[in-house]
């Protein structure tokens, strides 16, 4: 069963992914936002285009921590199919996401 993340910025990011709305996704990030995939730093815009927006990425949230910044997600896209993934988001005081850490769960 999918549930909405408790954190407003993270919830908006998941919704942007599921709508395929790259502009809304990017608007939620701080200017210096970083991304890692299985611990390896990635070029954020290149990664999201390949793994999310050109491959119809979709997130079904299954578990989250109390503040909604750590998620376990059933993630799917046209490239890799479906898999369990973990996502950690660092959210700044002004409500923007400055870091995304993802990988297989």
């Amino acid at each position: 069963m999918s549930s909405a993340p408790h954190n407003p910025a993270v919830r908006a990011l998941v919704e942007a992914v599921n709508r395929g709305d790259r502009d809304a996704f990017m608007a939620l990030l701080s200017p210096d936002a970083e991304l890692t995939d299985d611990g390896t730093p990635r070029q954020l815009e290149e990664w999201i285009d390949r793994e999310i927006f050109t491959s119809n990425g979709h997130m079904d949230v299954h578990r989250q921590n109390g503040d909604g910044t750590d998620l376990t997600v059933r993630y799917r896209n046209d490239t890799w199919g479906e898999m369990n993934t973990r996502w950690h988001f660092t959210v700044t005081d002004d409500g923007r996401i400055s870091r995304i850490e993802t990988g297989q769960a």
Side-chain angles (χ1 to χ4, degrees):
M1 172 176 279
S2 184
S3 61
H6 300 145
N7 184 282
V10 174
R11 181 174 50 249
L13 185 132
V14 169
E15 290 169 355
V17 167
N18 291 345
R19 284 191 318 269
D21 189 341
R22 186 183 190 281
D23 291 339
F25 182 102
M26 292 301 294
L28 295 162
L29 304 179
S30 65
D32 59 347
E34 301 175 331
L35 180 136
T36 64
D37 183 1
D38 284 324
T40 302
R42 303 292 184 188
Q43 199 288 326
L44 187 140
E45 289 194 50
E46 178 184 299
W47 190 93
I48 66 165
D49 286 342
R50 181 182 64 249
E51 300 292 336
I52 298 172
F53 295 107
T54 64
S55 62
N56 299 308
H58 188 87
M59 302 173 83
D60 287 320
V61 177
H62 286 273
R63 285 190 303 264
Q64 62 185 301
N65 67 341
D67 70 358
T69 57
D70 286 300
L71 308 178
T72 301
V73 170
R74 189 74 179 153
Y75 185 77
R76 67 181 177 272
N77 69 22
D78 294 344
T79 303
W80 303 107
E82 245 181 76
M83 67 190 87
N84 288 322
T85 56
R86 60 172 173 66
W87 297 74
H88 172 75
F89 300 91
T90 302
V91 181
T92 63
D93 290 339
D94 67 354
R96 298 181 83 187
I97 295 171
S98 62
R99 184 170 177 84
I100 302 168
E101 299 171 41
T102 188
Q104 293 206 27

